[in-house]
Amino acid sequence: NLAPNASFEIDTIPDGIPDDWTNTTFGSGITIVTSLVSSPVIAGTKAMMLNVTAIVPPSSLSAHSRQTVASAVLASQGQQYTASVYVQTSTLVYNARVQIDWYNSGGAVISSSTGTNHVFAAVNSYERISVTAVSPAGTVAARLRMTLVRPSVNDTTLGSLIWDAYQFAPGGLSDWFTFTPDGA
């Protein structure tokens, strides 16, 4: 696993945002609080939650957390990689997706590989989502992104997504192991 702080255990500041991960601007009309939670988890003792606490329509359709620039992962061009994360929701209205942003040696984004919007089967139960892609020519690094997706700019459903056990590695998902939730 090449993803730094993949189970969100380390928060040295402490500010509730795991080291190596950051929020991006969530846009107007929506308030999202990022925090670390100790239950439920897949790996370790913490997971990261994006909690939508207020919405004034119209507001942004999506919000995401991604690796910081300093924690970008070294990657090789023309190599297949898979990003995978376990996620659960408090509302079936929300979807989730993962993305890999590919960077060149100058630090510019070459392109992005985005997974499909994941429709949850149940609330409060971890489901694994992933994206597999071949890195484009010129790739030297990658940054991972986790996205909360709302159904429309006018939807006012409050809720949260909890993320844990991020993995980023060469190869396809079938080459990997699967986590079992702690205590299961």
Side-chain angles (χ1 to χ4, degrees), residues 39-40 49 87-92 120-127 159-162 181:
S39 179
M49 180 169 64
V87 63
Q88 69 170 274
T89 184
S90 66
T91 173
L92 293 179
F120 289 93
V123 296
N124 301 322
S125 178
Y126 275 108
E127 299 175 27
S160 62
L161 293 183
I162 298 175

Side-chain angles (χ1 to χ4, degrees), residues 89 92-97 116-122 127 129:
T89 184
L92 293 179
V93 171
Y94 294 167
N95 289 194
R97 69 175 177 249
T116 59
N117 282 356
H118 176 75
V119 177
F120 289 93
E127 299 175 27
I129 61 175

Side-chain angles (χ1 to χ4, degrees), residues 129-182:
I129 61 175
S130 65
V131 61
T132 299
V134 174
S135 56
T139 295
V140 298
R143 285 174 67 196
L144 310 174
R145 184 184 310 202
M146 304 171 292
T147 304
L148 177 154
V149 183
R150 297 175 47 244
S152 76
V153 296
N154 293 312
D155 180 77
T156 57
T157 304
L158 300 180
S160 62
L161 293 183
I162 298 175
W163 311 85
D164 201 10
Y166 215 116
Q167 294 173 284
F168 180 70
L173 194 57
S174 63
D175 300 325
W176 294 10
F177 62 92
T178 301
F179 281 102
T180 301
D182 291 345

